[in-house]
Amino acid sequence: MDRRGGFHEGEEAALVDRAAAGDRAAFERLYRRHVGRVYALCLRMSGKKDMAEELTQEVFVKTWEKLHSFRGESAFSSWLHRLTVNVVLGEWRTRYRHQAAVAAMDDASLFAKEASKNAAGVEMDLERAVATLPLGARTVFVLHDIEGYGHEEIGSLSGIAPGTSKAQLHSARKKLREMLKK
Amino acid sequence: MNCKDFQEVLNDFIDGLLSPEEKQKVETHLEACPVCREELERFRSLIAEARALPKSVSPARDLWPDILDRLEGGEEEISAEEKADSRAWWSRYGFLAAAAVLIAIITVFLATSFFMEREDPSLQFAEDGSIQVLPAATAPEDIVLAEAEYLTASEKLLQVLNERGDSLSPKTLAVVRQNIGLIDSAIGEIKGALEKDPANPQLNQLLLATYQRQLKLLKRATALPPRKPGRGTGFILRDSSNRL
């Protein structure tokens, strides 16, 4: 029997069909099933709880609106994951539209501030260290090292060159190493 | 390879992006350099820790009530039942409606293109041949306002066109009326599709763009110079200096 997180695959497909037809109870079950995964991604990409909550809500509203376009060619969880990444990156583009791309979104002063806290003896775990990375480095680190995306895919999602994605990843790892003193 | 060279290729080595020759050079260096071996292990440990982070984190509060509010707020005009019917209709006949609308729009675009400026600001052909509708306000109130504006303006312009019908050549008038009919037909096709899928943003944008095109055609037609005495045919088709 193929079960994932308490759902038969067939059961999930039926819920998706029902939700796409306007059944909110079915959609709520999908929400309960997937909210942890969506929230974790939003939290790590944004680095802030309140923003992660807003983004998670936005993801599920978009999911409701776009469910009819889900063709079932991939697993619903994969489709939702990609939608989440798109919603978060779309939010960055809106918030930082005066900057060209994720590559340009660095807040060096924030990083320096957090790094100095660490130097002063504040213990930092990996989650907290990731949250203090500059936006571009954090985005690429979360997508590549935590979520397993390749540089080509990150490039196509975020609009940066694969080479830029690699450079951001290297920068992120180096900064994390410094912060964590591993 | 020295330690500095190793630092430059460290990440590519970890991610398996080096060529076999480069990889061999790194491995040879690592065998002889305990400092770089330790550095490599630190990075690998960091990446392993990142990959082992929990993939699911529960939010501190239940977000469903807020999401439900937004879903209900966004569907004041379309009930869930209507939405379901719309989806069912669209999945069954949507491709036919889309094809009809597309054919109507392409026909209008091609048939009326000689009347227009080279580029329509709201409707363009993409490189792949598809029609691109540029972003426009498509909130329901915008559509209603645009429709009201279109109906008022088109009525006035048609009246003007009828009043000065004798001053235009019969051929010019026939071309204008034929194009008005084509655009009216396209508007009918789009509105028919919108009845089945009222919230479709592309259809709403197409409707606005088609209204704009119709108005532009009418304005240009009513502004045509009168035919010259003794000329029985439409000069706009032959005189490029007066081409619209």
Side-chain angles (χ1 to χ4, degrees):
Chain A
M1 182 180 289
D2 190 5
R3 272 188 168 269
R4 290 182 308 163
F7 273 131
H8 284 287
E9 281 190 7
E11 190 184 351
E12 178 152 288
L15 282 175
V16 170
D17 285 346
R18 281 171 49 202
D23 183 338
R24 290 206 187 102
F27 188 58
E28 184 180 356
R29 290 193 65 196
L30 288 171
Y31 161 81
R32 303 273 173 218
R33 163 78 172 82
H34 294 283
V35 64
R37 187 90 175 82
V38 169
Y39 179 73
L41 186 52
C42 292
L43 181 62
R44 287 178 182 135
M45 288 182 79
S46 68
K48 290 175 185 149
K49 285 182 184 175
D50 53 349
M51 196 187 291
E53 288 182 357
E54 279 177 33
L55 287 166
T56 302
Q57 288 180 37
E58 186 64 26
V59 168
F60 280 99
V61 170
K62 283 272 192 310
T63 303
W64 174 256
E65 292 168 354
K66 291 176 179 284
L67 259 183
H68 63 280
S69 69
F70 173 63
R71 307 266 177 235
E73 288 155 357
S74 58
F76 174 70
S77 56
S78 306
W79 180 82
L80 180 60
H81 194 272
R82 200 175 174 85
L83 180 71
T84 305
V85 173
N86 278 323
V87 166
V88 177
L89 292 175
E91 179 65 18
W92 294 169
R93 285 187 201 102
T94 305
R95 287 183 186 232
Y96 306 98
R97 61 182 174 275
H98 299 303
Q99 298 176 49
V102 171
M105 299 172 197
D106 275 5
D107 185 345
S109 59
L110 176 64
F111 172 72
K113 192 177 163 189
E114 293 298 332
S116 68
K117 270 192 207 168
N118 191 37
V122 178
E123 192 174 338
M124 207 178 248
D125 64 11
L126 179 57
E127 293 275 28
R128 186 169 146 70
V130 170
T132 65
L133 284 174
L135 183 57
R138 183 172 70 240
T139 300
V140 175
F141 182 80
V142 170
L143 292 179
H144 189 279
D145 276 2
I146 301 179
E147 300 295 337
Y149 283 77
H151 291 297
E152 292 283 344
E153 201 168 12
I154 292 170
S156 72
L157 283 166
S158 64
I160 61 174
T164 307
S165 175
K166 272 176 72 172
Q168 289 282 13
L169 179 64
H170 299 175
S171 162
R173 286 174 176 170
K174 193 175 171 194
K175 284 170 177 168
L176 288 170
R177 273 266 295 106
E178 289 166 13
M179 277 193 276
L180 297 167
K181 299 199 178 300
K182 287 182 102 54
Chain B
M1 174 174 285
N2 56 32
C3 295
K4 192 181 169 195
D5 297 332
F6 171 75
Q7 284 293 333
E8 285 178 8
V9 297
L10 168 61
N11 282 283
D12 286 346
F13 179 72
I14 292 171
D15 295 333
L17 299 175
L18 293 182
S19 67
E21 294 77 20
E22 289 170 319
K23 190 180 166 196
Q24 183 59 50
K25 284 181 191 170
V26 172
E27 285 169 348
T28 303
H29 174 73
L30 284 171
E31 281 174 18
C33 182
V35 175
C36 287
R37 277 206 304 276
E38 194 180 338
E39 179 76 347
L40 174 65
E41 283 316 307
R42 283 176 179 160
F43 270 88
R44 280 184 166 156
S45 165
L46 169 72
I47 295 162
E49 194 180 338
R51 296 209 169 130
L53 286 173
K55 292 288 183 272
S56 181
V57 177
S58 295
R61 64 184 182 91
D62 187 5
L63 305 176
W64 177 250
D66 289 346
I67 293 169
L68 192 58
D69 278 351
R70 288 183 60 185
L71 298 188
E72 285 170 348
E75 294 192 349
E76 282 171 0
E77 293 183 9
I78 311 168
S79 70
E81 202 171 318
E82 286 169 335
K83 195 173 177 181
D85 287 344
S86 165
R87 281 187 177 128
W89 182 90
W90 197 247
S91 65
R92 209 170 296 149
Y93 306 114
F95 71 99
L96 287 174
V101 168
L102 195 59
I103 288 167
I105 293 294
I106 288 171
T107 306
V108 165
F109 198 89
L110 295 177
T112 64
S113 58
F114 78 90
F115 259 101
M116 303 296 179
E117 291 163 348
R118 197 160 281 275
E119 287 187 6
D120 186 302
S122 58
L123 199 63
Q124 294 181 352
F125 281 110
E127 285 181 8
D128 64 1
S130 63
I131 286 183
Q132 301 286 305
V133 183
L134 299 186
T138 53
E141 60 271 23
D142 292 329
I143 298 290
V144 172
L145 283 174
E147 187 159 32
E149 184 190 8
Y150 160 72
L151 288 173
T152 309
S154 65
E155 201 173 316
K156 281 182 188 167
L157 289 166
L158 277 170
Q159 196 180 346
V160 171
L161 195 64
N162 284 333
E163 283 169 2
R164 60 165 304 193
D166 289 344
S167 69
L168 296 173
S169 78
K171 192 167 182 179
T172 300
L173 204 55
V175 171
V176 170
R177 292 195 189 285
Q178 186 186 16
N179 284 314
I180 291 169
L182 280 170
I183 297 180
D184 278 343
S185 167
I187 288 170
E189 295 277 2
I190 299 166
K191 290 182 84 168
L194 271 171
E195 280 178 19
K196 301 294 181 188
D197 190 12
N200 187 309
Q202 282 77 32
L203 285 174
N204 279 311
Q205 285 189 10
L206 269 177
L207 185 62
L208 280 181
T210 312
Y211 280 158
Q212 287 161 8
R213 195 162 185 82
Q214 178 78 303
L215 285 178
K216 191 183 277 186
L217 170 67
L218 285 167
K219 282 175 188 166
R220 286 180 179 275
T222 52
L224 283 171
R227 63 178 166 177
K228 292 175 183 174
R231 299 185 74 164
T233 54
F235 63 84
I236 59 166
L237 298 177
R238 293 184 281 112
D239 185 348
S240 62
S241 66
N242 286 305
R243 190 169 154 176
L244 297 173

